[in-house]
Amino acid sequence: MSKRAARAKGYRQATPKGASRSSSSSVVARLFVLVSRAALVVFVAGIGFGVYHYGGAAANRILQHPVDEVRVEGPFHFVTREAATDLIGAAIDNDFVDLDITELKQKIEQHSWIERAVITRSLPSALVVTLVEQVPIARWGDKGFLNQRGEVITTDETELLSDMPELSGREEQSTRIMQQYQDLSGLLRSRNLTIVRLWVDELSTWRITLNGGVELVLGKDDLAEKIQRFLLVYDEHLVPQFDAVVRVDLRYTNGLAVAWSNEYEVLVEEAS
């Protein structure tokens, strides 16, 4: 009884040699897997850091360089391509990537002859700038011109406007003055008469100088009606001798007054 119990007890405490090797191998395998995974994580992290650090630095080295080329596009009537390129080049104040496009656009559009600039980047190092010029309608005194919206644009380059009519008056009236110029020009053009100057004087009197030098004094209101009245008299009485007219005063309710040149008065006296 005691021997059997001892065997049983001994059996329960015994560990087979094969089972010991299998358990040890399993532990080693698990440790290997864990170490492998940890190594893989470290390896991937290292690659990621290297790409971020060195790749980013490489990308910055590629992109962080000056603007090497400026391509200027658009029709050029009042600004030459060379002058526009010089203007843009002087306004560029940073590298290709760090350049503030909005600020550059504002600088370019400060030029009196440039209404709008559209700027795009073109890799690797070029800027493409499309310019839209102002459209001058008439000279504005000796200070500049009126654009198509009646805005006063100041410029010293008035020699480019020498063939345009001259408008002047208070600047806050510029839009109305331009509109009246267009309306009254249409009426006079039917008789081949051209406005070379339209202005509003310090007494708010509207005045016109026609081609040939004749001055029309219109007064303060009813401008179109007064031009119509002038054209009736022009057709019936003034056409044959209009070269002798100096001024036509239309500041009357139903009539007008004509001032003649001295040469014409002499001719009339001789004819009488």
mmCIF file of all heavy atoms in Angstrom, residues 33-62:
data_model
loop_
_atom_site.group_PDB
_atom_site.id
_atom_site.type_symbol
_atom_site.label_atom_id
_atom_site.label_comp_id
_atom_site.label_asym_id
_atom_site.label_seq_id
_atom_site.Cartn_x
_atom_site.Cartn_y
_atom_site.Cartn_z
ATOM 1 N N VAL A 33 9.141 36.506 -31.659
ATOM 2 C CA VAL A 33 8.106 37.271 -32.364
ATOM 3 C C VAL A 33 8.002 38.675 -31.814
ATOM 4 O O VAL A 33 7.913 39.671 -32.543
ATOM 5 C CB VAL A 33 6.752 36.536 -32.278
ATOM 6 C CG1 VAL A 33 5.627 37.433 -32.805
ATOM 7 C CG2 VAL A 33 6.805 35.245 -33.068
ATOM 8 N N LEU A 34 8.010 38.769 -30.464
ATOM 9 C CA LEU A 34 7.898 40.092 -29.840
ATOM 10 C C LEU A 34 9.078 40.981 -30.195
ATOM 11 O O LEU A 34 8.919 42.165 -30.526
ATOM 12 C CB LEU A 34 7.788 39.933 -28.317
ATOM 13 C CG LEU A 34 6.489 39.312 -27.789
ATOM 14 C CD1 LEU A 34 6.580 39.087 -26.279
ATOM 15 C CD2 LEU A 34 5.296 40.215 -28.121
ATOM 16 N N VAL A 35 10.273 40.387 -30.139
ATOM 17 C CA VAL A 35 11.461 41.177 -30.487
ATOM 18 C C VAL A 35 11.431 41.595 -31.954
ATOM 19 O O VAL A 35 11.770 42.726 -32.317
ATOM 20 C CB VAL A 35 12.734 40.370 -30.164
ATOM 21 C CG1 VAL A 35 13.978 41.078 -30.722
ATOM 22 C CG2 VAL A 35 12.875 40.173 -28.660
ATOM 23 N N SER A 36 10.986 40.679 -32.822
ATOM 24 C CA SER A 36 10.912 40.994 -34.254
ATOM 25 C C SER A 36 9.949 42.139 -34.517
ATOM 26 O O SER A 36 10.223 43.051 -35.304
ATOM 27 C CB SER A 36 10.496 39.746 -35.043
ATOM 28 O OG SER A 36 11.436 38.714 -34.878
ATOM 29 N N ARG A 37 8.781 42.059 -33.856
ATOM 30 C CA ARG A 37 7.802 43.137 -34.050
ATOM 31 C C ARG A 37 8.324 44.484 -33.555
ATOM 32 O O ARG A 37 8.131 45.517 -34.182
ATOM 33 C CB ARG A 37 6.504 42.779 -33.338
ATOM 34 C CG ARG A 37 5.736 41.639 -34.003
ATOM 35 C CD ARG A 37 4.487 41.294 -33.223
ATOM 36 N NE ARG A 37 3.748 40.226 -33.885
ATOM 37 C CZ ARG A 37 2.645 39.666 -33.374
ATOM 38 N NH1 ARG A 37 2.188 40.075 -32.187
ATOM 39 N NH2 ARG A 37 2.034 38.716 -34.044
ATOM 40 N N ALA A 38 8.967 44.439 -32.383
ATOM 41 C CA ALA A 38 9.535 45.682 -31.844
ATOM 42 C C ALA A 38 10.586 46.244 -32.790
ATOM 43 O O ALA A 38 10.654 47.451 -33.042
ATOM 44 C CB ALA A 38 10.123 45.436 -30.453
ATOM 45 N N ALA A 39 11.411 45.350 -33.320
ATOM 46 C CA ALA A 39 12.446 45.795 -34.249
ATOM 47 C C ALA A 39 11.828 46.389 -35.519
ATOM 48 O O ALA A 39 12.304 47.387 -36.065
ATOM 49 C CB ALA A 39 13.368 44.623 -34.596
ATOM 50 N N LEU A 40 10.744 45.753 -35.980
ATOM 51 C CA LEU A 40 10.063 46.263 -37.178
ATOM 52 C C LEU A 40 9.481 47.640 -36.940
ATOM 53 O O LEU A 40 9.580 48.532 -37.789
ATOM 54 C CB LEU A 40 8.956 45.274 -37.599
ATOM 55 C CG LEU A 40 8.150 45.671 -38.846
ATOM 56 C CD1 LEU A 40 9.082 45.754 -40.063
ATOM 57 C CD2 LEU A 40 7.033 44.655 -39.088
ATOM 58 N N VAL A 41 8.869 47.826 -35.759
ATOM 59 C CA VAL A 41 8.303 49.139 -35.427
ATOM 60 C C VAL A 41 9.389 50.205 -35.409
ATOM 61 O O VAL A 41 9.244 51.304 -35.947
ATOM 62 C CB VAL A 41 7.558 49.073 -34.080
ATOM 63 C CG1 VAL A 41 7.180 50.471 -33.608
ATOM 64 C CG2 VAL A 41 6.317 48.202 -34.192
ATOM 65 N N VAL A 42 10.525 49.861 -34.756
ATOM 66 C CA VAL A 42 11.640 50.808 -34.692
ATOM 67 C C VAL A 42 12.172 51.107 -36.089
ATOM 68 O O VAL A 42 12.482 52.250 -36.436
ATOM 69 C CB VAL A 42 12.750 50.250 -33.780
ATOM 70 C CG1 VAL A 42 14.002 51.131 -33.858
ATOM 71 C CG2 VAL A 42 12.263 50.143 -32.346
ATOM 72 N N PHE A 43 12.246 50.068 -36.921
ATOM 73 C CA PHE A 43 12.766 50.239 -38.278
ATOM 74 C C PHE A 43 11.863 51.164 -39.108
ATOM 75 O O PHE A 43 12.311 52.088 -39.779
ATOM 76 C CB PHE A 43 12.894 48.870 -38.941
ATOM 77 C CG PHE A 43 13.359 48.940 -40.367
ATOM 78 C CD1 PHE A 43 14.684 49.244 -40.671
ATOM 79 C CD2 PHE A 43 12.478 48.692 -41.410
ATOM 80 C CE1 PHE A 43 15.114 49.308 -41.972
ATOM 81 C CE2 PHE A 43 12.897 48.764 -42.720
ATOM 82 C CZ PHE A 43 14.220 49.075 -43.007
ATOM 83 N N VAL A 44 10.547 50.887 -39.038
ATOM 84 C CA VAL A 44 9.588 51.713 -39.796
ATOM 85 C C VAL A 44 9.608 53.145 -39.297
ATOM 86 O O VAL A 44 9.566 54.112 -40.071
ATOM 87 C CB VAL A 44 8.170 51.108 -39.696
ATOM 88 C CG1 VAL A 44 7.142 52.057 -40.295
ATOM 89 C CG2 VAL A 44 8.126 49.759 -40.394
ATOM 90 N N ALA A 45 9.656 53.297 -37.949
ATOM 91 C CA ALA A 45 9.710 54.651 -37.393
ATOM 92 C C ALA A 45 10.963 55.377 -37.854
ATOM 93 O O ALA A 45 10.940 56.572 -38.161
ATOM 94 C CB ALA A 45 9.653 54.582 -35.867
ATOM 95 N N GLY A 46 12.066 54.637 -37.912
ATOM 96 C CA GLY A 46 13.303 55.256 -38.369
ATOM 97 C C GLY A 46 13.221 55.703 -39.813
ATOM 98 O O GLY A 46 13.688 56.780 -40.177
ATOM 99 N N ILE A 47 12.616 54.849 -40.635
ATOM 100 C CA ILE A 47 12.438 55.233 -42.045
ATOM 101 C C ILE A 47 11.548 56.468 -42.157
ATOM 102 O O ILE A 47 11.837 57.406 -42.910
ATOM 103 C CB ILE A 47 11.845 54.056 -42.842
ATOM 104 C CG1 ILE A 47 12.879 52.924 -42.952
ATOM 105 C CG2 ILE A 47 11.406 54.524 -44.230
ATOM 106 C CD1 ILE A 47 12.360 51.705 -43.668
ATOM 107 N N GLY A 48 10.446 56.445 -41.388
ATOM 108 C CA GLY A 48 9.540 57.591 -41.435
ATOM 109 C C GLY A 48 10.223 58.870 -41.018
ATOM 110 O O GLY A 48 10.067 59.922 -41.655
ATOM 111 N N PHE A 49 11.006 58.793 -39.948
ATOM 112 C CA PHE A 49 11.715 59.987 -39.480
ATOM 113 C C PHE A 49 12.716 60.460 -40.528
ATOM 114 O O PHE A 49 12.862 61.644 -40.789
ATOM 115 C CB PHE A 49 12.428 59.685 -38.172
ATOM 116 C CG PHE A 49 13.272 60.823 -37.672
ATOM 117 C CD1 PHE A 49 12.690 61.906 -37.038
ATOM 118 C CD2 PHE A 49 14.656 60.805 -37.861
ATOM 119 C CE1 PHE A 49 13.473 62.958 -36.588
ATOM 120 C CE2 PHE A 49 15.437 61.859 -37.417
ATOM 121 C CZ PHE A 49 14.850 62.939 -36.784
ATOM 122 N N GLY A 50 13.410 59.498 -41.139
ATOM 123 C CA GLY A 50 14.388 59.868 -42.148
ATOM 124 C C GLY A 50 13.749 60.539 -43.352
ATOM 125 O O GLY A 50 14.249 61.538 -43.865
ATOM 126 N N VAL A 51 12.606 59.959 -43.790
ATOM 127 C CA VAL A 51 11.895 60.566 -44.930
ATOM 128 C C VAL A 51 11.421 61.964 -44.579
ATOM 129 O O VAL A 51 11.540 62.910 -45.356
ATOM 130 C CB VAL A 51 10.713 59.674 -45.354
ATOM 131 C CG1 VAL A 51 9.830 60.404 -46.352
ATOM 132 C CG2 VAL A 51 11.226 58.368 -45.936
ATOM 133 N N TYR A 52 10.854 62.091 -43.362
ATOM 134 C CA TYR A 52 10.326 63.400 -42.939
ATOM 135 C C TYR A 52 11.448 64.424 -42.833
ATOM 136 O O TYR A 52 11.346 65.541 -43.328
ATOM 137 C CB TYR A 52 9.616 63.259 -41.604
ATOM 138 C CG TYR A 52 9.190 64.573 -40.990
ATOM 139 C CD1 TYR A 52 8.043 65.231 -41.448
ATOM 140 C CD2 TYR A 52 9.940 65.150 -39.978
ATOM 141 C CE1 TYR A 52 7.671 66.446 -40.902
ATOM 142 C CE2 TYR A 52 9.566 66.362 -39.434
ATOM 143 C CZ TYR A 52 8.428 67.006 -39.884
ATOM 144 O OH TYR A 52 8.065 68.206 -39.341
ATOM 145 N N HIS A 53 12.535 63.993 -42.158
ATOM 146 C CA HIS A 53 13.604 64.955 -41.890
ATOM 147 C C HIS A 53 14.420 65.261 -43.146
ATOM 148 O O HIS A 53 14.532 66.401 -43.570
ATOM 149 C CB HIS A 53 14.507 64.419 -40.786
ATOM 150 C CG HIS A 53 15.625 65.361 -40.429
ATOM 151 N ND1 HIS A 53 15.412 66.513 -39.714
ATOM 152 C CD2 HIS A 53 16.964 65.310 -40.714
ATOM 153 C CE1 HIS A 53 16.565 67.146 -39.556
ATOM 154 N NE2 HIS A 53 17.516 66.435 -40.155
ATOM 155 N N TYR A 54 14.953 64.195 -43.720
ATOM 156 C CA TYR A 54 15.842 64.406 -44.860
ATOM 157 C C TYR A 54 15.070 64.660 -46.156
ATOM 158 O O TYR A 54 15.476 65.464 -46.983
ATOM 159 C CB TYR A 54 16.783 63.208 -45.021
ATOM 160 C CG TYR A 54 17.698 63.038 -43.830
ATOM 161 C CD1 TYR A 54 17.448 62.052 -42.877
ATOM 162 C CD2 TYR A 54 18.787 63.876 -43.654
ATOM 163 C CE1 TYR A 54 18.274 61.903 -41.778
ATOM 164 C CE2 TYR A 54 19.628 63.732 -42.550
ATOM 165 C CZ TYR A 54 19.366 62.747 -41.609
ATOM 166 O OH TYR A 54 20.176 62.608 -40.528
ATOM 167 N N GLY A 55 13.915 63.949 -46.300
ATOM 168 C CA GLY A 55 13.105 64.196 -47.498
ATOM 169 C C GLY A 55 12.518 65.596 -47.503
ATOM 170 O O GLY A 55 12.493 66.271 -48.519
ATOM 171 N N GLY A 56 12.026 66.046 -46.321
ATOM 172 C CA GLY A 56 11.502 67.405 -46.227
ATOM 173 C C GLY A 56 12.566 68.437 -46.497
ATOM 174 O O GLY A 56 12.343 69.436 -47.180
ATOM 175 N N ALA A 57 13.748 68.183 -45.948
ATOM 176 C CA ALA A 57 14.848 69.112 -46.197
ATOM 177 C C ALA A 57 15.206 69.146 -47.678
ATOM 178 O O ALA A 57 15.475 70.202 -48.249
ATOM 179 C CB ALA A 57 16.067 68.706 -45.366
ATOM 180 N N ALA A 58 15.175 67.962 -48.311
ATOM 181 C CA ALA A 58 15.468 67.911 -49.749
ATOM 182 C C ALA A 58 14.413 68.654 -50.542
ATOM 183 O O ALA A 58 14.718 69.389 -51.487
ATOM 184 C CB ALA A 58 15.561 66.453 -50.205
ATOM 185 N N ALA A 59 13.128 68.465 -50.150
ATOM 186 C CA ALA A 59 12.047 69.179 -50.848
ATOM 187 C C ALA A 59 12.187 70.679 -50.684
ATOM 188 O O ALA A 59 11.983 71.453 -51.630
ATOM 189 C CB ALA A 59 10.690 68.706 -50.318
ATOM 190 N N ASN A 60 12.544 71.105 -49.454
ATOM 191 C CA ASN A 60 12.734 72.530 -49.232
ATOM 192 C C ASN A 60 13.874 73.072 -50.070
ATOM 193 O O ASN A 60 13.801 74.179 -50.605
ATOM 194 C CB ASN A 60 12.999 72.808 -47.749
ATOM 195 C CG ASN A 60 11.731 72.708 -46.921
ATOM 196 O OD1 ASN A 60 10.637 72.888 -47.433
ATOM 197 N ND2 ASN A 60 11.882 72.402 -45.634
ATOM 198 N N ARG A 61 14.961 72.261 -50.171
ATOM 199 C CA ARG A 61 16.082 72.712 -50.993
ATOM 200 C C ARG A 61 15.676 72.845 -52.449
ATOM 201 O O ARG A 61 16.159 73.721 -53.158
ATOM 202 C CB ARG A 61 17.257 71.736 -50.860
ATOM 203 C CG ARG A 61 18.017 71.855 -49.537
ATOM 204 C CD ARG A 61 19.348 71.142 -49.611
ATOM 205 N NE ARG A 61 19.193 69.706 -49.842
ATOM 206 C CZ ARG A 61 19.050 68.806 -48.891
ATOM 207 N NH1 ARG A 61 19.023 69.190 -47.617
ATOM 208 N NH2 ARG A 61 18.930 67.523 -49.179
ATOM 209 N N ILE A 62 14.757 71.979 -52.896
ATOM 210 C CA ILE A 62 14.302 72.049 -54.290
ATOM 211 C C ILE A 62 13.421 73.268 -54.517
ATOM 212 O O ILE A 62 13.532 73.981 -55.518
ATOM 213 C CB ILE A 62 13.554 70.761 -54.669
ATOM 214 C CG1 ILE A 62 14.522 69.580 -54.669
ATOM 215 C CG2 ILE A 62 12.871 70.897 -56.019
ATOM 216 C CD1 ILE A 62 13.851 68.239 -54.861
#
